[in-house]
C-alpha cells in the first residue's frame, strides 16, 4: 500500500511529504464532509483557502487530525 512520510499544516496549506506512489489524498471537516480530494505522489500541498480550523487528512491508509491556525 501507499505510504506517507508526514503531513503538517503551515500558513494555510496542508503539506504531505514522501508519498511513495499515487495515493488518494482527502481532506474532511470534523462533521465528515469531504472538502478536497486528489491523487498525489511525492510531495504535495493542499490549499485550505485560508480557512482556519481542525481538519481530518486521509492519505492512503494514514489518517490524522491537523489544525490550521
Amino acid at each position: 500500500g501507499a505510504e506517507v512520510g508526514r503531513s503538517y499544516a503551515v500558513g494555510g496549506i496542508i503539506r504531505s511529504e514522501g508519498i511513495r506512489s499515487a495515493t488518494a489524498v482527502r481532506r474532511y471537516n470534523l462533521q465528515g464532509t469531504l472538502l478536497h480530494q486528489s491523487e498525489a505522489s511525492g510531495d504535495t500541498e493542499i490549499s485550505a483557502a485560508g480557512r482556519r480550523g481542525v481538519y481530518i487528512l486521509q492519505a492512503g491508509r494514514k489518517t490524522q487530525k491537523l489544525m490550521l491556525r
Side-chain angles (χ1 to χ4, degrees), residues 2-4 7 16 19 23-26 57-63:
E3 292 190 29
V4 178
S7 298
S16 294
I19 300 173
T23 300
V25 177
R26 298 177 181 94
L57 184 71
Q58 183 178 40
R61 295 183 192 167
K62 184 174 183 179
T63 302

Side-chain angles (χ1 to χ4, degrees), residues 27-43:
R27 179 173 57 101
Y28 300 89
N29 63 20
L30 291 180
Q31 289 73 41
T33 303
L34 178 64
L35 303 174
H36 172 91
Q37 179 173 329
S38 62
E39 193 168 283
S41 60
D43 297 344

